[in-house]
Amino acid sequence: MRQQCVTVLGATGSIGKSTLDVVARHPERYRVHALTAHRSREALLAQCLRHRPRMAVLGTEHDAAWLRARLTEAGLAVEVRAGDEALVEAAGAVEVDVVMAAIVGAAGLLPTLAAVRGGKRVLLANKEALVMSGALFMEAVEHHGATLLPIDSEHNAIYQCLPSEHRGGLARHGVTQLLLTASGGPFRGWSAARLASVTPEQACAHPNWSMGRKISVDSATLMNKGLELIEACWLFDARPEQIQVVVHPQSVIHSMAAYSDGSVLAQLGNPDMRTPIAYGLAWPERIDAGVEALDLFQIARLDFEAPDERAFPCLRLARDAMAAGGTAPAVLNAANEVAVDAFLSGRLPFVGIGELVEATLNALPVEAGRDLDTILAMDAHARTLARQWLQQR
Ligand code: NAD
Ligand code: MG
């Protein structure tokens, strides 16, 4: 078997670390080409010493110089670079076969697109990139012959439950509905009044998954499920009304596909991101992910309920943005990134996140936005408006 050459964008994050864990279990299959991080230079140093990539990328030249010196001392020949262009090269280099797109937020868009344009196998964790650029992203996948494999556990589950060739609309394959499961986050069942005073620490304490802070807050507001609804529309050529969000607190069923004959196919597993990561790395084969076998007797029961869209308006805002189309999802995403950042730094209450996103969506017209310049301009515009809103409140 030829060794596959892997780049991990966002290597020091939650998904990045899980990816390297799986990769390291299969040295005969994978070797690491590039590892990237934003500010976590110590963590990236440790990963470079362990995984010996050809290239490492950090956010600033200052941090890159620091890492270069440490790696030289250790006797390792790693090309250390800084900045956006280096990220794009790490993703698009000719020798790279597989790119894990695990940068958080809009910062991942250009490097993820570079992987797509390089015709790579793209393991997509960075859902924000697809939410921002949906049509453009999917056209680029088609045009450059990239293989796009969803890593978000829900989408990975749906991918596993659909026929292997599912392009061309769900109805063609007898699929009537996609059932997108949601844990409900740490505040499931809470009233709007009780949500008014929640802290970042409470919001980041997810009951089932251990994740980065941004996606943890998104899970608490249900914006994560909104972003995932948009993600599913693009990945599976679905309309928003073909997707039902099902709150399932145990996070054992990762999502389902319902068929016209009454069959519902589900994918189950322990809540451990190494399962979808290993699936994406090895597809269509299966490899060991280091994940414990599912013990149904210990789980004992599976519960389901409808989401509370009154206390958690972000899900509705995302569905409406997808229905509005064009640049609306990019605006939703940008405003949400500003709002989450403000919440995490104590400048915005939890319930203000939805308010800020809604105000920004209402303030901006929807443009067709199939080209990158329009999308990036809308993203920047939405951020400016969102910051003004924060200052004025
Ligand atoms: P994280 O915050 O733990 O890690 C983010 C990574 O991106 C880090 O390596 C960081 O250095 C890098 N990064 C941050 N800002 C950057 C910037 N401006 N430029 C370049 N690099 C930057 O996040 P995470 O939880 O691993 O999530 C990563 C992505 O995967 C997100 O889009 C998230 O929605 C998605 N995702 C995560 C999970 C999960 O379980 N953590 C599940 C599904 C999807
Ligand atoms: Mg998910």
Side-chain angles (χ1 to χ4, degrees):
M1 180 190 307
R2 188 178 78 84
Q3 249 187 343
Q4 301 272 297
C5 195
V6 183
T7 282
V8 184
L9 302 169
T12 56
S14 166
I15 293 287
K17 285 189 240 171
S18 293
T19 304
L20 288 173
D21 181 281
V22 179
V23 162
R25 287 168 194 274
H26 304 279
E28 72 299 347
R29 280 180 176 259
Y30 308 108
R31 71 189 162 81
V32 177
H33 174 75
L35 295 177
T36 86
H38 191 42
R39 281 192 267 262
S40 320
R41 61 186 202 181
E42 314 264 349
L44 192 62
L45 169 62
Q47 290 183 337
C48 287
L49 295 174
R50 167 93 178 75
H51 300 281
R52 300 174 172 251
R54 297 254 171 88
M55 184 182 184
V57 183
L58 277 162
T60 65
E61 182 47 45
H62 178 259
D63 283 340
W66 178 90
L67 182 63
R68 211 173 283 130
R70 298 295 86 71
L71 289 170
T72 307
E73 278 165 25
L76 286 191
V78 182
E79 184 193 355
V80 184
R81 305 262 307 271
D84 294 343
E85 227 172 88
L87 286 177
V88 164
E89 268 185 53
V94 281
E95 55 268 54
V96 174
D97 303 295
V98 183
V99 175
M100 166 53 82
I103 291 174
V104 60
L109 176 60
L110 294 181
T112 304
L113 271 181
V116 169
R117 288 171 176 163
K120 311 299 185 195
R121 169 179 295 215
V122 181
L123 310 187
L124 183 72
N126 180 206
K127 65 193 87 182
E128 297 93 341
L130 182 58
V131 166
M132 289 174 75
S133 68
L136 172 112
F137 192 105
M138 296 309 291
E139 278 160 19
V141 169
E142 195 74 24
H143 184 74
H144 297 279
T147 305
L148 183 62
L149 290 161
I151 298 304
D152 218 341
S153 56
E154 297 77 2
H155 306 75
N156 190 269
I158 292 169
Y159 193 92
Q160 296 193 42
C161 296
L162 290 180
S164 53
E165 185 38 69
H166 57 259
R167 293 269 123 221
L170 295 172
R172 249 185 67 190
H173 306 282
V175 178
T176 51
Q177 205 170 35
L178 301 178
L179 303 166
L180 192 66
T181 55
S183 69
F187 308 133
R188 182 175 58 86
W190 288 34
S191 65
R194 205 173 154 209
L195 289 171
S197 60
V198 305
T199 65
E201 281 55 48
Q202 287 173 298
C204 289
H206 196 278
N208 306 334
W209 299 93
S210 149
M211 310 181 287
R213 282 168 78 78
K214 194 263 175 179
I215 185 178
S216 295
V217 176
D218 286 346
S219 299
T221 59
L222 292 198
M223 181 58 94
N224 183 50
K225 214 46 57 181
L227 297 174
E228 290 184 355
L229 187 144
I230 297 173
E231 185 185 12
C233 287
W234 289 115
L235 287 171
F236 306 118
D237 211 350
R239 296 186 309 277
E241 61 274 17
Q242 290 177 296
I243 301 173
Q244 184 170 73
V245 173
V246 179
V247 174
H248 163 48
Q250 290 89 357
S251 299
V252 167
I253 295 181
H254 298 305
S255 280
M256 300 169 257
Y259 286 83
S260 51
D261 60 5
S263 297
V264 176
L265 302 193
Q267 185 258 355
L268 286 72
N270 285 319
D272 187 324
M273 288 306 292
R274 290 177 300 176
T275 295
I277 290 167
Y279 181 89
L281 280 168
W283 177 90
E285 294 169 30
R286 300 273 182 170
I287 56 172
D288 174 31
V291 176
E292 251 185 82
L294 187 65
D295 181 345
L296 284 174
F297 295 127
Q298 201 199 329
I299 290 157
R301 56 179 287 174
L302 301 174
D303 295 298
F304 306 98
E305 57 191 63
D308 176 357
E309 294 195 18
R310 263 213 282 177
F312 301 94
C314 289
L315 179 55
R316 170 181 57 80
L317 292 173
R319 192 185 293 111
D320 291 351
M322 185 63 203
T327 50
V331 169
L332 170 98
N333 178 66
N336 181 57
E337 286 190 29
V338 173
V340 170
D341 188 51
F343 168 67
L344 283 172
S345 57
R347 291 175 287 127
L348 183 70
F350 184 77
V351 292
I353 296 174
E355 290 168 16
L356 172 48
V357 171
E358 182 154 32
T360 311
L361 278 167
N362 288 339
L364 281 171
V366 176
E367 289 181 25
R370 292 177 89 89
D371 63 292
L372 199 53
D373 288 344
T374 310
I375 293 164
L376 293 175
M378 257 321 189
D379 171 85
H381 198 164
R383 283 169 203 268
T384 307
L385 281 186
R387 291 196 185 101
Q388 282 169 2
W389 186 94
L390 275 172
Q391 271 167 6
Q392 283 158 11
R393 74 180 278 285

